[in-house]
Structure formats: structure tokens, C-alpha cells
Amino acid sequence: MEKSKVLIIGGTGYLGKRLVKASLAEGHETYVLQREDMGVDIQKVQMLLSFKEEGAHLVLGSFNDHRSLVEAVRLVDVVICAISGVHIRSHQILLQLKLVDAINEAGNVKRFLPSEFGTDPAKMENAMEPGRVTFDDKMVVRKAIEDAGIPFTYVSANCFAGYFLGGLCQPGSVLPSMDHVVLLGDGNQKALLGDNNKKAIYVDEDDIAMYTIKTIDDPRTLNKTLYLRPPQNILSQREVVEVWEKLIGKQLRKSSISKEEFLATMKTQNYAEQVGLTHYYHVCYEGCLANFEIGDEGEEASQLYPEIHYTSVHEYMKRYL
């Protein structure tokens, strides 16, 4: 089967650059949207030029120019959007409504993968303020996609390993301590995350990109959600800490923070920080990533694509030694 042509929007971002590389590695004719108004952002310019050297096509386009989006979309079969949905950097999820309009007008796209790649927003209808804005906005985009009859795949990638494993699941930290860790819960052996030893799911960002590219031509995931749940990487915070302790050959000093203390501290932060901390709360104290079974509306990536040798938590954390 001929491989789809792919347009990646947000291709110079944290995940986007990995999606470009994975698409090229899998042999897809790959297009990357390039803004005309890049100014003197030399790092992004050089990244785009490196993509071009590797075989990608750069296509000018902007969310502020509807016609440019339509023309870009008409070049490809699949559109993947990886613009930021993180408030501490920039929250742009609803910009995708313009992309939905362009895809709808172009009429040629076989599949659209919007910017999701985290917690499944369809499972977060009871999320707390202010963090629920992320999930609500993603559901607005989903509704627009489905109302327009655009074929889709939603990717629920759970926790980006770099953000969670690097800091031993502690908000605000991306490098593991050699001395001390704060456990999100009461800190005893049986109740680490919240009160029930909740598990989270950690996925290497390069693996997220590869699973995403694998799915774009797969009829099994058409109009479904692809959940990334690599079995070895479904761990509690204590289990993550234990992996690190084995690697460094010593026990860390441990303290803990109850959910009441966590919420009280969260309310003292600015809005953007509160949004992110709300997500941590749902992941760590409620176990929102692994507390449901995948139904008929979804598929699990490691089962569909066993040929991908995903990076285990143990392997991932070796880089910090």
C-alpha cells in the first residue's frame, strides 16, 4: 500500500520535531508548515532547514491566512497538528478550529490527528478548574472535526517521559534528585499516589511520535482513539522512584504531601501553573490515566504495533546517570 503524504503543523515544537523525524524515517512524503513571520528565531529556522536536508518539504502557511492553510492541506493525505496545549508556554488548542475549516474546504484529507497527545479529554468531564480548560478546548475541537465529517484518529499518549520521569513525578522538576523526593500522597508503602497507590503511564516522546506515525495508514484506528499504554511503563510514583534508586545504588530521603496540602499550595500559584498542577492532581491522586478499560472506541498502541520496541522506564532513566 502506498504510504500517505503527511503535513505536520507545529513541526519545530517539542513533539512536532519528533513527528517529522518519525514520518521521514517511516518513508512518508513529509511536509512541514512554515510560518512566514518567524522573525529571528534562528533555532527554529535551522531546524526547518535540517528537516529540508533530510527530505521534508517546507510549505508556507499560517493560521491567520485561511487560503494558505487550504493550499497546504491539499498537498497531503494526512494532517497531524502538534501545536502547544500547555499553558506555561502557550495554549493554542482552539486555533485548530481554523485548521478544521481548511481541511473541510479542501475535501481531500483522509485522516486528521489533532493536537492531543496527553490525557483523553473524553474521560475528563469531571476535571477541576482551572485545569479542565485544556480538556474542554480539546473536546470543542473534537466536536468540530466530527460535525464536519472529517476522518480522525485521536492519540492519548499519557505522560511525556521527559516531564514526569525526569523529575520523579514531582511538579516543577525535570531532573531526578540524588538525595530527596517528595511523594504525592501519604508516603507509606501501600499508598503513594493519593490514597490508593494510583498508577500513571509514561511514554518516551520518540515512541509517541513513532506510534503516531504508525497509526496514520492503519484502518483499525480510523475514527478511534489510540491509547499508548506500554505495559512495563504503567507504574506508581514509588515504583518510578524505586527504578531510580536501583540505578543510582542508594535510597532517597522521602517526604510526602497530602492531596489537601497539594490543592492548598496549588491555589497560591498563577493561573498557568494552576492549570498544570490540576493535571498533576488528576494523574497522581486520582489515577485518571489507568483507571478505565479501553472500549470499542479505542485501540492500544503496543498491542497493535508490537514491532516497536518501546523504551521502558528503566531504560529511559539511564540517561540521567
Side-chain angles (χ1 to χ4, degrees):
M1 181 177 69
E2 185 178 355
K3 293 192 174 186
S4 292
K5 298 177 182 178
V6 182
L7 171 66
I8 297 172
I9 298 171
T12 59
Y14 183 69
L15 181 61
K17 62 188 178 185
R18 293 172 166 87
L19 289 165
V20 174
K21 290 183 177 295
S23 180
L24 290 169
E26 286 296 295
H28 292 274
E29 188 171 341
T30 304
Y31 293 75
V32 183
L33 195 72
Q34 175 187 341
R35 299 196 321 268
E36 290 189 78
D37 57 338
M38 296 189 70
V40 292
D41 193 337
I42 188 65
Q43 287 186 322
K44 288 188 176 181
V45 170
Q46 290 182 339
M47 190 183 305
L48 287 168
L49 292 175
S50 72
F51 293 156
K52 186 177 179 181
E53 290 175 353
E54 293 170 18
H57 307 283
L58 305 183
V59 54
L60 290 175
S62 168
F63 281 102
N64 295 321
D65 183 349
H66 174 74
R67 185 50 44 194
S68 73
L69 284 181
V70 173
E71 291 174 357
V73 164
R74 282 181 172 156
L75 295 171
V76 300
D77 309 300
V78 173
V79 176
I80 304 175
C81 189
I83 60 175
S84 175
V86 180
H87 278 77
I88 58 173
R89 292 201 300 270
S90 59
H91 182 72
Q92 302 174 324
I93 294 299
L94 291 181
L95 274 180
Q96 293 179 108
L97 295 175
K98 296 182 179 182
L99 184 55
V100 171
D101 288 341
I103 292 171
N104 195 31
E105 180 176 330
N108 61 292
V109 170
K110 298 177 182 178
R111 195 174 311 204
F112 176 37
L113 285 71
S115 184
E116 296 223 356
F117 303 109
T119 305
D120 181 2
K123 306 296 184 184
M124 300 304 294
E125 62 271 12
N126 295 319
M128 292 191 306
E129 298 286 1
R132 68 170 299 126
V133 64
T134 304
F135 311 122
D136 290 345
D137 285 358
K138 288 181 178 180
M139 291 305 292
V140 168
V141 174
R142 284 191 180 192
K143 185 176 187 303
I145 293 168
E146 293 171 28
D147 285 350
I150 297 169
F152 63 85
T153 296
Y154 306 134
V155 178
S156 177
N158 299 301
C159 296
F160 283 20
Y163 280 93
F164 279 79
L165 295 180
L168 301 178
C169 310
Q170 300 169 104
S173 178
V174 292
L175 287 172
S177 172
M178 301 289 285
D179 180 61
H180 175 255
V181 62
V182 177
L183 301 172
L184 305 184
D186 67 11
N188 66 47
Q189 290 288 341
K190 295 184 178 179
L192 249 288
L193 298 182
D195 295 324
N196 299 293
N197 197 24
K198 304 299 185 184
K199 305 258 184 181
I201 306 167
Y202 312 95
V203 190
D204 180 297
E205 291 85 343
D206 291 331
D207 292 342
I208 293 172
M210 186 57 71
Y211 281 125
T212 299
I213 297 302
K214 280 286 188 182
T215 201
I216 61 177
D217 285 329
D218 189 344
R220 297 173 295 179
T221 58
L222 183 62
N223 297 331
K224 288 188 174 185
T225 299
L226 180 71
Y227 294 94
L228 277 55
R229 289 184 170 184
Q232 294 182 55
N233 293 2
I234 304 175
L235 305 173
S236 69
Q237 185 190 16
R238 178 174 291 278
E239 289 170 324
V240 169
V241 171
E242 288 173 349
V243 169
W244 179 238
E245 288 174 331
K246 288 178 182 177
L247 285 171
I248 63 175
K250 62 178 286 191
Q251 298 287 307
L252 301 183
R253 291 184 299 107
K254 300 175 180 69
S255 58
S256 63
I257 180 170
S258 69
K259 62 181 179 181
E260 292 81 12
E261 292 172 312
F262 185 93
L263 291 173
T265 301
M266 182 183 81
K267 291 177 182 178
T268 68
Q269 305 299 309
N270 63 41
Y271 177 80
E273 294 288 347
Q274 286 190 48
V275 170
L277 289 171
T278 304
H279 297 172
Y280 261 91
Y281 177 83
H282 288 302
V283 169
C284 295
Y285 289 94
E286 296 184 346
C288 67
L289 302 181
N291 65 357
F292 63 91
E293 297 294 327
I294 298 172
D296 293 338
E297 79 288 350
E299 300 287 348
E300 199 286 309
S302 65
Q303 293 182 13
L304 290 185
Y305 313 114
E307 68 274 15
I308 295 179
H309 299 290
Y310 67 83
T311 304
S312 69
V313 169
H314 181 268
E315 286 297 321
Y316 190 92
M317 297 195 73
K318 285 181 179 179
R319 69 192 63 193
Y320 299 112
L321 294 174

